[in-house]
Amino acid sequence: MKSKLFDNFTFKNGVTVKNRIIKSAMSEALGNLHYEPTEGLFRLYEKWADGGTGTLITGNVMIDRKALGEPRNVVADHDSILPFLEKWAEHGSKNNTQLWMQLNHPGKQAFKSAVKEAVAPSAIPFEGKIGRFFHHPREIEKEEIVEVIKRFGYSASLAKKAGFTGVQIHGAHGYLISQFLSPRHNQRKDEWGGDVKGRMKFLVEIYREIRIQTSEDFLISVKLNSADFMKAGFTEEESIYVSKELEEEGIDLLEISGGTYESSPMSKAQQKNSTRIREAYFMDYAEKLSKAVHVPVCVTGGFRSRNGMENALDSNAMDFVGLARPLAIYPDLPILIEKQVMNEIKLDQRKTGIKKIDDLGMLEITWYGQQLRRLAKGKITKPNYPVILSFLQSLAKNGKEILQKQRSNS
């Protein structure tokens, strides 16, 4: 019997995706010094396209070179990048694969090494030890808000011209849109703040601008937090409210995630028995969301078996399975699953056993980033590569910079 994982799916605009597997965004950091995608990035996406994934969502593509999330981001803010984007689209859309560009602005969640200054809805810095990695932000002006909205639209238009089949607006994980949505970070008194209707205005206007600068048949997704998992942050109730409004606007897909740099829900979710059984971190929320909206939903995070993915789809709480780290190790995982060569994905937690190093919280990200770079060079991955060697290799190459927090999932 054919698995639902490999059923196609047709969006309301008539675009059909060949299966229900989505590669969620990961931080590749494979742009060059001119913020352009490189041959390694083309090679990486061709590998994933050949591996059978139905939809590939890129890692962060920034809308403004003055607002980088981290070094070596790709930036789509000028038409001079079009030839590079066209080549990326050519490689990433092979094998009848959907290719969506994730668009983002970091707001205050941009490393000091990447930007000269940072803006945010309100001039509120990060709390705790994490704050030392970031600038104290200034409050973004109204005129700048309008400019940022236009930039999102322009970057999306470049993606469409280049041959990408859609874009994803990054509204999660504590970046600028997520900051606007959060009452903890957005304490404005104008039309861009206040209650959830005011705080979501920035996201809605970005969606509208992208739709204006692209077309009705161009797919637009939003990555949205189920919650921030922080006191006085964005809540599940607000997330569902925003999702309803996005449905009214005509959004094509919602990808559910959660947390920010300041608070990751993953470790807490892993401890829950329901998560261990059902695998996915955000299934409980997805079930609530499915009763409130009829937008196609993708849940990303935690899936480690064919049965887990199929059961999640059979629950009707979601339409797509999002995978990140498994595809960093097994780029042809969809083919392996379909042929029943691999029904379980074993990904051990990456630890050295040295508490001071493990407590830094960056080993997993460094390790998976090195696997992505192997694929980008045309090499095979090393699933059993020792974590301590990965750490020493990165330390030798980057020095103390690796002690900064980085992203494993965009």
Side-chain angles (χ1 to χ4, degrees), residues 116-273:
K116 293 181 179 179
E117 70 164 359
V119 296
S122 302
I124 301 170
F126 287 115
E127 296 180 1
K129 293 181 180 179
I130 189 176
R132 69 184 185 272
F133 297 122
F134 304 100
H135 295 289
H136 191 303
R138 65 173 177 82
E139 182 171 298
I140 188 170
E141 301 288 342
K142 288 185 179 182
E143 295 79 9
E144 293 174 296
I145 292 174
V146 174
E147 180 186 348
V148 169
I149 291 168
K150 295 290 185 184
R151 283 182 175 275
F152 268 97
Y154 178 68
S155 296
S157 73
L158 290 177
K160 185 176 189 300
K161 288 176 185 176
F164 286 76
T165 54
V167 293
Q168 181 178 79
I169 303 168
H170 199 336
H173 296 172
Y175 294 105
L176 185 61
I177 295 172
S178 178
Q179 291 161 30
F180 265 92
L181 290 170
S182 169
R184 179 187 181 94
H185 299 291
N186 182 354
Q187 298 181 15
R188 301 176 71 96
K189 303 302 181 184
D190 60 13
E191 68 269 30
W192 302 100
D195 63 13
V196 67
K197 292 181 181 179
R199 287 183 274 116
M200 69 175 285
K201 178 178 171 66
F202 183 55
L203 171 56
V204 170
E205 291 301 326
I206 286 171
Y207 168 78
R208 290 174 178 171
E209 185 64 27
I210 289 176
R211 188 60 81 194
I212 289 170
Q213 293 202 40
T214 56
S215 63
E216 288 299 322
D217 63 350
F218 191 65
L219 292 167
I220 305 176
S221 163
V222 169
K223 189 166 193 168
L224 187 69
N225 274 356
S226 59
D228 288 349
F229 302 100
M230 297 188 72
K231 184 178 180 181
F234 188 59
T235 66
E236 281 194 359
E237 292 74 21
E238 289 177 327
S239 182
I240 289 174
Y241 180 87
V242 171
S243 297
K244 288 180 179 179
E245 294 299 309
L246 290 172
E247 180 179 29
E248 289 294 318
E249 291 289 329
I251 202 74
D252 294 300
L253 179 134
L254 284 168
E255 182 184 359
I256 301 306
S257 194
T260 71
Y261 273 25
E262 294 177 283
S263 175
S264 171
M266 305 304 184
S267 58
K268 296 175 185 176
Q270 284 175 311
Q271 295 168 10
K272 292 173 62 178
N273 190 51

